[in-house]
Amino acid sequence: MNEEEKRWKFAQCFGDKGDSDDITEADIISSVEFDHTGDYLATGDKGGRVVLFERNDGKKGCEYKFHTEFQSHEPEFDYLKSLEIEEKINKIKWCRRTNSAHFLLSTNDKTIKLWKVFERNIKVAQEYDNNVTARNGLFIPKISHQDNIVAAIPRRIYANAHAYHINSISVNSDSETYLSADDLRINLWNLDISEQSFNIVDIKPANMEELTEVITAAEFHPQQCNLLMYSSSKGTVKLADMRESALCDQNAKVFEAFEDPNNRSFFSEIISSISDVKFSPDGRYILARDYLTLKIWDINMESKPVQTININDNLRSNLCDLYENDCIFDKFECMFSGDGKSVMTGSYSNNFSIYNRETRDEIPLQADKSAFKAKRLGSAKNKLTLGRNGKRDDVDPVDFGKKILHASWHPRDNIIAVAATNNLFIFA
């Protein structure tokens, strides 16, 4: 174990640490996001709730404490399409603070909301003060401060702009606009205007039978407000400039790694679909995650990625099993560290890995409290036992019921927040 690997330690866990059989679907965490300072952390779950945590400065080391919780989305029903709209929180994005209040965007499949979170003083009227002389027969009640509470109110609701499920939201560096992306379109919004948005990417074909790809993720450049990128199920990442045309899919840089034709299989298209993309903090590099790899691209070089990191390599020979249990469609997120020198992504059995871009070392970690006490094997269901070279044996069973899909890296410090089913783990 090298020095960097020793440095990472399990710091905290929030949530019910009971048996996974007792977990309700609504409690499963579906989004994790640090704010721009790293002093606050938000999680969203499948029950439509948003929970905020605040860094506890009074403690040495890394510790967060509960700040507030509110119901962001409720289940709805689309009567025109006879569809139920889940309350599940797909994404949370913080807006930069301009005063003492916090503002953050949260979205389910159809509706985006801008929330204001702030401290409110509660004052109560007590009994009349006997020392105060009555004026004109009126007694003035004494007003006193009782408590401070953290309140959350929806300031804007951005609805009816997406026909398909929203998979991404991203706040622009100008702090005035943000984008929202669904399977076929990307819309540009002004944070202050909820009645209208501008369609900036549209890949919907005239005939839906000719549909060959969908948008899987989208993000604004961290420094240049005119640049954005989006990824597709075909394994491409497109970098577009809003200054060049009204529709940004017309003249875009395309980043695509071509597969060796000799290695192609029935599963090639599925596993090449990109589930998440992130810019490096300086905006120079793009990180893209597909099912079996992480690819790092230089935005100035479209020919090939500057680095390809194999993930889940031991699963490559078992794609048929993964297809049958639908795990091959799992959408893993990825992220850069605050200094851009490391990248991170998740896997199965609650495992996730940090990769140092300079040394190319991998640091494997596990977000499972039982792993810190003793190795515990769960039920055999949803497990596939894999050994070296992907061959089945009795070593290291892979638990597909436990997966690290969502995580966030602190913008300045080496602190990582990881969602493992209904638990939030913090490593530092």
Side-chain angles (χ1 to χ4, degrees), residues 36-185:
H36 298 90
T37 66
D39 293 335
Y40 291 86
L41 175 63
T43 65
D45 63 27
K46 289 189 175 182
R49 295 179 296 265
V50 171
V51 182
L52 304 187
F53 299 91
E54 179 184 12
R55 192 160 182 176
N56 192 352
D57 292 328
K59 297 281 186 177
K60 287 183 179 179
C62 167
E63 182 175 303
Y64 283 79
K65 60 184 179 181
F66 174 82
H67 185 58
T68 191
E69 175 184 338
F70 57 91
Q71 187 71 31
S72 176
H73 287 70
E74 302 279 358
E76 300 172 50
F77 190 80
D78 186 335
Y79 290 97
L80 291 175
K81 296 182 179 178
S82 296
L83 287 174
E84 289 186 8
I85 302 170
E86 292 183 351
E87 65 271 38
K88 172 194 168 191
I89 305 297
N90 291 345
K91 293 289 177 183
I92 295 172
K93 293 293 176 185
W94 295 81
C95 301
R96 290 191 182 272
R97 287 181 79 176
T98 55
N99 52 41
S100 58
H102 298 278
F103 288 88
L104 50 91
L105 292 166
S106 63
T107 185
N108 65 353
D109 285 340
K110 298 291 182 181
T111 305
I112 306 155
K113 296 183 181 182
L114 175 66
W115 289 91
K116 179 183 180 181
V117 181
F118 60 101
E119 281 200 3
R120 174 182 284 169
N121 295 328
I122 297 179
K123 294 182 179 179
V124 293
Q126 295 183 332
E127 293 181 5
Y128 303 130
D129 190 338
N130 294 326
N131 296 322
V132 177
T133 307
R135 294 181 182 177
N136 300 324
L138 294 175
F139 286 92
I140 309 299
K142 184 181 178 183
I143 305 296
S144 65
H145 171 78
Q146 187 182 45
D147 199 4
N148 285 346
I149 63 163
V150 180
I153 57 171
R155 288 297 303 271
R156 302 265 190 284
I157 297 177
Y158 313 88
N160 306 318
H162 286 278
Y164 304 94
H165 292 177
I166 298 170
N167 55 51
S168 301
I169 49 176
S170 179
V171 181
N172 204 346
S173 59
D174 62 12
S175 298
E176 295 177 3
T177 56
Y178 76 92
L179 65 78
S180 58
D182 65 26
D183 293 343
L184 298 178
R185 293 192 174 104

Side-chain angles (χ1 to χ4, degrees), residues 185-284:
R185 293 192 174 104
I186 299 177
N187 293 331
L188 178 67
W189 300 83
N190 187 305
L191 281 163
D192 294 329
I193 302 170
S194 57
E195 296 80 26
Q196 66 174 356
S197 62
F198 299 94
N199 180 225
I200 55 175
V201 172
D202 187 350
I203 65 168
K204 184 178 180 180
N207 182 0
M208 283 295 282
E209 291 180 1
E210 298 172 2
L211 182 68
T212 59
E213 66 178 325
V214 294
I215 297 166
T216 56
E219 186 175 76
F220 268 122
H221 190 280
Q223 295 170 6
Q224 299 182 50
C225 61
N226 53 293
L227 294 180
L228 67 120
M229 67 171 169
Y230 61 96
S231 59
S232 84
S233 57
K234 272 194 167 179
T236 62
V237 179
K238 293 186 177 180
L239 179 67
D241 190 336
M242 291 192 293
R243 297 174 301 186
E244 290 189 1
S245 65
L247 273 179
C248 296
D249 51 337
Q250 305 301 323
N251 301 296
K253 275 189 174 184
V254 181
F255 302 87
E256 182 176 11
F258 295 98
E259 186 183 20
D260 184 342
N262 298 323
N263 295 333
R264 285 194 66 80
S265 71
F266 169 78
F267 305 107
S268 292
E269 282 196 20
I270 301 172
I271 63 174
S272 65
S273 175
I274 294 174
S275 58
D276 193 25
V277 284
K278 292 288 195 312
F279 278 109
S280 59
D282 62 3
R284 174 69 185 273

